[in-house]
């Protein structure tokens, strides 16, 4: 929230292992534009409902990477996946955009 209020944008690439019984292991941030984005991306991975996947999809542990792009949308479409890919600081093809909007509140 601090970064969003300050207009901050960035990324984090998280690597993790999913076991056949859908447990997570070795969750680490490989890249991050700052520690806040790394922390939030790791927290998101840990909240995903892996146990809701059908049983038997995995027969051995699988190492995965997910790149989170934290973006504040504008009328120019800054959070379009192509634009995010063009300016990212983090590696990874499996990208999940986390898009927000700045709202002006007048009192």
């Amino acid at each position: 929230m601090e970064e969003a209020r300050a207009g901050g944008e960035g990324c984090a690439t998280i690597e993790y292992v999913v076991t056949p019984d859908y447990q997570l292991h070795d969750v680490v941030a490989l890249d991050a534009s700052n520690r806040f984005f790394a922390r939030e991306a790791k927290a998101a991975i840990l909240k995903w409902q892996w146990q809701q996947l059908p049983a038997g999809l995995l027969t051995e542990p699988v190492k995965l990477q997910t790149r989170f792009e934290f973006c504040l949308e504008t009328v120019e479409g800054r959070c379009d996946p192509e634009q995010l890919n063009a300016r990212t600081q983090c590696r990874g093809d499996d990208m999940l955009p986390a898009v927000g909007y700045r709202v002006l509140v007048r009192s």
Side-chain angles (χ1 to χ4, degrees), residues 2 13-14 21 29 34 37 39 41 54 68-70 73-74 77 86 92 99 107:
E2 303 92 35
T13 301
I14 308 301
D21 60 349
N34 73 41
F37 294 131
R39 180 187 69 206
F68 290 79
E69 291 289 340
F70 298 90
E73 187 58 272
T74 64
V99 179
S107 47

Side-chain angles (χ1 to χ4, degrees), residues 66-69 80-82 84-85 92-97:
T66 302
R67 187 179 94 226
F68 290 79
E69 291 289 340
D80 176 85
E82 285 184 29
L84 289 172
N85 282 328
D93 294 326
D94 182 20
M95 189 242 313
L96 180 66

Side-chain angles (χ1 to χ4, degrees), residues 7-53:
E9 297 180 309
C11 60
T13 301
I14 308 301
E15 182 176 82
Y16 49 100
V17 175
V18 181
T19 65
D21 60 349
Y22 303 122
Q23 299 300 308
L24 292 182
H25 295 281
D26 304 324
V27 180
V28 296
L30 296 179
D31 293 318
S33 55
N34 73 41
R35 64 186 170 93
F36 297 112
F37 294 131
R39 180 187 69 206
E40 293 305 316
K42 285 173 70 173
I45 294 283
L46 294 169
K47 289 179 186 176
W48 288 351
Q49 301 295 313
W50 296 97
Q51 291 76 17
Q52 292 182 6
L53 293 171

Side-chain angles (χ1 to χ4, degrees), residues 55-97:
L57 287 178
L58 300 177
T59 58
E60 59 186 54
V62 176
K63 186 181 283 189
L64 302 168
Q65 287 182 9
T66 302
R67 187 179 94 226
F68 290 79
E69 291 289 340
F70 298 90
C71 182
L72 294 171
E73 187 58 272
T74 64
V75 295
E76 294 86 24
R78 290 180 40 80
C79 300
D80 176 85
E82 285 184 29
Q83 288 194 33
L84 289 172
N85 282 328
R87 68 175 188 270
T88 190
Q89 299 173 31
C90 298
R91 66 187 126 163
D93 294 326
D94 182 20
M95 189 242 313
L96 180 66

